[in-house]
Amino acid sequence: WYLQVALGEKFAHQALGNIIREIPIRAPRGNIVDRKGRLLASSRPTYTLCVIPGEMTSPEETLSSLAKILKRPVEELKQIIREKRISNYDPIILQRDLDDDTYLIIVWRKLLLPGVECRQDPVRWYPNGKLASLLLGYPGEINQEELSRLKDEGYRPGDFIGKSGVEKAFESYLRGQDGAKQLEVNARGHIQQMLGERQPVPGHTVVLSIDKQLQRAAEEALGDRVGAAVALDVRTGEVLAMASRPAFDPNVFARGIKPEEWNAIINMPTHPLQNRTIHNAYPPGSTFKLITTVAALESGSRV
């Protein structure tokens, strides 16, 4: 009586949790466009590899097989699981942006890899490569400090968040609302049927005052030199171009940057992550003499 009646409702909820799994459907980030609506940043679909520790009947064997498929050290995969594990049944992302061949191999061997799943997620995409990269910034996987600070806003481990530039400044506008699928699974984790689905809501579009063509012209004029150039509309104060060189390809960060790629970037003597339009101070030089001359003429001073 105690188990069936007094604790019956509690055990019923536990049993329901054992057969129903909620799979998140990631919402794409909002687009970033220039003043004329030309695309600067968007999202594209990609395959993400996840593991569910509680469903891996033989973790050593499964991770060893994945290491061979992914061509990565098995200890590296174990380290990821140790660092990101919250519970036995929360998916842990092992690799993003799988190529088609790797995805097909994993799907083909799915029955031999219990606890492994591939899902389709949106990933940030910058169609113009390095163009305006210091201005746009980049998103990255949320870290522990950010997660503890923003957990009440619905962020979860594995989410991407704006780290710099427009991506960080307008995070609340660009971030969408994730959806979810409710699936019924058996004891082996195999899907039996879909019980319900909540569609994701994409993030809002952010329109900049930047003119894409003028931005490109400014960056091409700087070329391989280290420097910055800003063009303003003197009538409104709008920023039409904000170029900083050298630049970086934000697509590297959007898909999840590798340690060796990160080390190569931060160790460059030219510091490509430094936005020289706002983070550096330069002497104005002779161009500033025009301002002092105009001030002298307007004040009636005799020079």
Side-chain angles (χ1 to χ4, degrees):
W1 180 90
Y2 179 71
L3 295 176
Q4 294 182 9
V5 180
L7 299 180
E9 186 175 353
K10 172 185 176 182
F11 290 142
H13 281 298
Q14 289 182 354
L16 192 62
N18 288 336
I19 63 170
I20 296 178
R21 183 192 304 155
E22 188 169 272
I23 304 297
I25 305 175
R26 304 292 184 185
R29 289 176 73 82
N31 292 337
I32 302 176
V33 299
D34 80 340
R35 63 190 301 114
K36 296 181 179 179
R38 291 172 292 201
L39 195 63
L40 296 173
S42 185
S43 298
R44 62 177 176 85
T46 186
Y47 293 112
T48 300
L49 173 66
C50 304
V51 294
I52 302 174
E55 294 180 0
M56 290 193 294
T57 54
S58 178
E60 288 288 339
E61 184 177 338
T62 299
L63 292 178
S64 178
S65 298
L66 287 177
K68 293 177 182 178
I69 296 172
L70 301 175
K71 298 179 181 178
R72 296 171 64 181
V74 67
E75 284 302 321
E76 182 180 325
L77 303 183
K78 291 180 180 179
Q79 180 66 22
I80 293 174
I81 294 175
R82 284 194 294 267
E83 291 176 354
K84 298 184 178 181
R85 187 169 186 164
I86 297 178
S87 74
N88 284 337
Y89 294 95
D90 281 319
I92 298 172
I93 297 174
L94 286 187
Q95 185 161 318
R96 303 176 188 270
D97 204 13
L98 295 175
D99 59 71
D100 292 340
D101 291 340
T102 303
Y103 169 75
L104 291 174
I105 292 173
I106 294 173
V107 171
W108 180 58
R109 299 184 183 180
K110 182 69 173 68
L111 294 178
L112 302 176
L113 298 170
V116 176
E117 62 178 36
C118 287
R119 70 187 189 204
Q120 194 173 64
D121 285 343
V123 67
R124 205 58 163 154
W125 175 54
Y126 299 90
N128 306 295
K130 295 182 178 181
L131 182 69
S133 60
L134 276 304
L135 167 64
L136 297 175
Y138 62 90
E141 188 169 344
I142 193 168
N143 57 39
Q144 286 299 323
E145 186 277 327
E146 293 167 331
L147 190 60
S148 61
R149 177 166 47 88
L150 300 170
K151 60 182 179 181
D152 293 337
E153 297 182 24
Y155 286 92
R156 296 169 299 188
D159 284 353
F160 267 47
I161 186 173
K163 297 288 188 177
S164 68
V166 174
E167 293 282 11
K168 180 178 181 180
F170 292 91
E171 169 67 20
S172 60
Y173 295 94
L174 292 168
R175 179 181 179 241
Q177 183 178 347
D178 289 347
K181 289 182 180 179
Q182 275 199 334
L183 305 175
E184 180 182 343
V185 297
N186 60 20
R188 294 179 176 271
H190 298 157
I191 298 173
Q192 304 301 300
Q193 62 174 327
M194 186 170 72
L195 303 176
E197 183 174 357
R198 184 176 71 255
Q199 291 297 323
V201 179
H204 297 287
T205 295
V206 172
V207 182
L208 305 181
S209 62
I210 295 296
D211 184 293
K212 180 179 175 180
Q213 291 182 339
L214 187 59
Q215 178 76 22
R216 188 183 299 277
E219 295 191 10
E220 289 178 352
L222 286 171
D224 295 330
R225 289 171 291 185
V226 176
V230 178
L232 304 177
D233 186 332
V234 295
R235 298 165 299 180
T236 63
E238 290 178 308
V239 179
L240 303 179
M242 183 181 281
S244 178
R245 285 293 190 182
F248 62 92
D249 186 355
N251 288 301
V252 175
F253 292 87
R255 60 170 168 74
I257 190 168
K258 299 176 182 177
E260 57 270 22
E261 293 174 327
W262 171 253
N263 290 331
I265 291 175
I266 63 174
N267 289 325
M268 287 183 179
T270 53
H271 306 293
L273 295 180
Q274 187 176 48
N275 188 343
R276 288 171 168 80
T277 63
I278 58 176
H279 291 155
N280 288 44
Y282 299 98
S286 295
T287 55
F288 198 74
K289 292 177 182 177
L290 296 173
I291 298 176
T292 55
T293 302
V294 170
L297 291 173
E298 287 188 349
S299 65
S301 300
R302 294 183 180 180
V303 181

